[in-house]
Amino acid sequence: MRNVVIMGSGCAGNTAAIYAARANLKPLAISGKDAGGQLSLTTLVENFPGFPEGVDGPLLVQNMRKQAEHFGAEYVHGDVIDTDLSQRPFRLNVEGEWVETRTLIVATGASARWLGLESELQLIGKGVSSCATCDGFFYRGRKIMVIGGGDSAMEEANFLSRFGSEVTLVHRRDEFRASKIMLDRARHNPKIKFLTNTVVDEVHDAAKGIVTGVRLRNLQTAVVWEQEVDGFFLAIGHIPNTKVFKGQIETDPDGYILSKGGARTNIPGVFHAGDVQDRVYRQAITASGAGCMAAIEAERFLEAEGH
Ligand SMILES: Cc1cc2nc3c(=O)[nH]c(=O)nc-3n(C[C@H](O)[C@H](O)[C@H](O)COP(=O)(O)OP(=O)(O)OC[C@H]3O[C@@H](n4cnc5c(N)ncnc54)[C@H](O)[C@@H]3O)c2cc1C
């Protein structure tokens, strides 16, 4: 029987592990198949406080994990594939083996949606990004492309126009899901050019390990052409990793955990941390802060129950 089990080893899970370990709770962190989480996909992180020169994303999360292990956190590899949160102790199936715990911290993140092109996936963190706040600064005076047709695509395009020499917004339809106000703002921005009824067939240049351009195709005319691009930003949504709790932890219609204040979920003893609950900020530092909150809440919950 564990005091605290943490699901996920991104910024939120690792920070929760540091705090829970230093509270002497001997937490077990289930790292997930994508150990290190989303920061493992990127290269330089320039906005995590404490690193004036920036820090390599994978190194940052590895160091968080080392710090947690140093204080006694234990890690196991693999995904939780099934859960029973209907009674305490909570039960989690980790790739076939059941684990029991008094409290649970869910730090499973929200995965960015990619187009799924092989060339695009090879260039994630090397010019392909899902986070304008994180990576916009790298593209000062450069050519930027944003994919998407919703509010977040308009918001990212507007934000990125502060940096790029030009921003091309590519959308596969000619109608937009974005609200009128967001769409109008983007349409009136002189740096943003719209390409509708258009899809990306390939991102260049995977062989060079850097984005240099894209091959585009107009869905109505079938015309294919090349365009030079330095920064390629996806704004087609995120998928919160909450499937394994479906019907147990309350979520919004998109699957993000609904907070009941602080780090609490609808189930006493189950806490949320990081992007799995946060559809607004989605940053390494906010995820880490949320991991800290969840661990403190778990510790107080256990204390109140006399453990
Ligand atoms: C390419 C890229 C670049 C970025 N750059 C920056 C940046 O420069 N600065 C910044 O602040 N932010 C950046 N971000 C955003 C930042 O990475 C996220 O906000 C942060 O990683 C969220 O942390 P998290 O711990 O909540 O989730 P994640 O990092 O997504 O981690 C989730 C963890 O949960 C695990 N998991 C999922 N399902 C299960 C399961 N069923 N069982 C067990 N484990 C599971 C996963 O394997 C993973 O370990 C970037 C994101 C991307 C994709």
Side-chain angles (χ1 to χ4, degrees), residues 3-4 16-27 71 295-296 299:
N3 283 316
V4 185
I18 293 169
Y19 274 79
R22 292 194 76 254
N24 225 9
L25 294 172
K26 298 186 176 54
F71 292 112
I296 290 176
E299 189 263 316

Side-chain angles (χ1 to χ4, degrees), residues 80-271:
V80 172
I81 55 171
D82 196 7
T83 58
D84 179 3
L85 310 180
S86 62
Q87 54 188 0
R88 283 194 273 145
F90 305 121
R91 296 178 71 238
L92 309 169
N93 184 331
V94 187
E95 313 242 337
E97 215 166 284
W98 285 93
V99 174
E100 291 189 341
T101 182
R102 295 187 174 102
T103 64
L104 173 65
I105 295 175
V106 181
T108 46
S111 310
R113 279 183 209 270
W114 308 102
L115 295 175
L117 303 168
E118 209 181 309
S119 53
E120 170 214 30
L121 299 177
Q122 284 173 4
L123 289 166
I124 292 173
K126 297 166 187 160
V128 171
S129 175
S130 60
C131 178
T133 308
C134 311
D135 295 332
F137 197 77
F138 295 125
Y139 298 97
R140 278 160 293 164
R142 315 290 291 278
K143 295 187 173 77
I144 294 175
M145 183 166 278
V146 176
I147 312 298
D151 275 350
S152 57
M154 302 307 140
E155 194 176 307
E156 303 245 315
N158 271 311
F159 177 75
L160 289 165
S161 72
R162 295 188 202 173
F163 307 100
S165 55
E166 60 179 48
V167 176
T168 308
L169 192 135
V170 176
H171 182 42
R172 56 183 303 125
R173 285 180 266 278
D174 54 8
E175 279 166 14
F176 290 88
R177 260 183 308 109
S179 58
K180 187 176 176 315
I181 183 165
M182 294 298 289
L183 186 58
D184 285 350
R185 205 174 292 161
R187 281 213 160 113
H188 289 121
N189 185 323
K191 275 200 187 167
I192 302 178
K193 192 177 107 191
F194 281 72
L195 277 181
T196 52
N197 295 309
T198 301
V199 290
V200 177
D201 280 342
E202 192 169 354
V203 185
H204 308 303
D205 186 339
K208 287 192 184 144
I210 186 170
V211 170
T212 57
V214 292
R215 189 168 71 239
L216 297 158
R217 179 164 47 91
N218 185 297
L219 290 172
Q220 288 181 333
T221 61
V223 170
V224 171
W225 74 103
E226 305 283 338
Q227 183 165 324
E228 276 181 28
V229 172
D230 303 300
F232 185 78
F233 287 80
L234 281 298
I236 52 175
H238 286 77
I239 309 162
N241 299 313
T242 47
K243 243 199 289 182
V244 76
F245 315 108
K246 210 171 161 47
Q248 302 183 78
I249 300 180
E250 271 180 33
T251 64
D252 71 11
D254 294 329
Y256 285 92
I257 293 180
L258 281 177
S259 183
K260 299 291 172 180
R264 292 183 292 283
T265 68
N266 60 305
I267 304 175
V270 178
F271 303 96

